[in-house]
Amino acid sequence: MSDVARFYGLQINRSGMACCPFHNDRDPSLKVYDDHFYCFGCGATGDHAGFVAKLFGLSQIEAAKKICADFGIYLFDRQFAVAVDPKVKAECDYRMWLHKASKTISEYLTKLVNWGKVYAPKNFNVQPHPLFVESLTKRDHIEYLANILTYGSDNEKRQLYSSCREDIMKIRERLDKFSAAERTVKRKAI
Ligand SMILES: [Zn+2]
């Protein structure tokens, strides 16, 4: 179940929870068990084929075929990938993006706030640290994005989806680099 869920984009945390793609889920409320999933938010449940069926708007048997095709398992005599309902797929992509974007922006905002304190110049003679400058220049805009992602209307969020997807992806990549660097530092410290 978790292999399938991960393969189709769910981010499962250590306790087996993920943000539910079937409702507007801010904190992970979908639990992935060995053989099924259950969402404590919207009650969505099913096995791995049920998950894929719901995600792509397929019947149970079509979903099973899709999983086989995507995982390179030929149970169905090489019958290939079934067409996915593009509307359902687009909606899922959007929901998945929304979870990721909210997380990214709130992480980045925490960093900006922190940099504003940690790298504040001690006196006016020194060149300010670039991360301090970044904190000053970016914070308003990122607060604005965080606000929309948390409290905005569906329409506003969809507008971000079409206008800011690239930018937020770049922030994500950068944050990932930061945490990779932090992990290295921690390892060295040990
Ligand atoms: Zn749900």
Side-chain angles (χ1 to χ4, degrees):
M1 178 71 233
S2 63
D3 287 345
V4 167
R6 274 202 195 92
F7 183 84
Y8 296 108
L10 227 65
Q11 299 199 319
I12 305 172
N13 67 21
R14 277 185 199 159
S15 37
M17 303 293 292
C19 280
C20 173
F22 308 121
H23 79 278
N24 198 352
D25 195 9
R26 246 186 260 151
D27 300 309
S29 47
L30 184 140
K31 172 94 180 163
V32 179
Y33 299 91
D34 284 348
D35 61 345
H36 73 290
F37 69 95
Y38 178 74
C39 172
F40 294 93
C42 68
T45 184
D47 60 6
H48 59 292
F51 178 82
V52 174
K54 247 177 138 34
L55 196 60
F56 295 101
L58 303 170
S59 73
Q60 191 87 1
I61 184 76
E62 284 171 331
K65 285 182 184 175
K66 177 168 174 52
I67 294 168
C68 287
D70 291 345
F71 279 73
I73 307 164
Y74 300 111
L75 288 183
F76 290 92
D77 208 18
R78 290 183 182 262
Q79 279 187 38
F80 259 119
V82 275
V84 160
D85 182 338
K87 258 196 202 145
V88 176
K89 174 80 174 79
E91 185 61 22
C92 274
D93 284 348
Y94 164 67
R95 291 261 176 90
M96 297 271 195
W97 173 83
L98 200 58
H99 301 315
K100 222 176 159 181
S102 312
K103 200 167 162 265
T104 300
I105 291 301
S106 83
E107 269 177 51
Y108 186 42
L109 187 57
T110 310
K111 279 227 176 325
L112 289 177
V113 171
N114 191 34
W115 291 340
K117 289 182 206 149
V118 175
Y119 296 109
K122 304 282 183 283
N123 59 62
F124 291 105
N125 304 323
V126 292
Q127 186 87 351
H129 194 285
L131 292 179
F132 177 74
V133 178
E134 182 172 338
S135 168
L136 280 189
T137 49
K138 294 279 172 65
R139 198 166 146 180
D140 277 356
H141 178 62
I142 296 303
E143 256 165 14
Y144 164 78
L145 292 184
N147 214 18
I148 291 183
L149 287 167
T150 314
Y151 304 109
S153 68
D154 193 50
N155 223 347
E156 287 171 314
K157 289 176 190 169
R158 281 175 201 274
Q159 260 165 24
L160 280 194
Y161 183 55
S162 51
S163 63
C164 292
R165 223 180 319 174
E166 289 263 295
D167 293 345
I168 295 179
M169 218 173 68
K170 276 184 197 140
I171 296 176
R172 178 75 264 160
E173 282 168 9
R174 193 150 164 259
L175 288 176
D176 289 344
K177 272 184 203 152
F178 270 115
S179 42
E182 278 162 16
R183 275 198 299 275
T184 315
V185 170
K186 265 185 204 147
R187 260 206 308 276
K188 276 186 185 155
I190 299 165

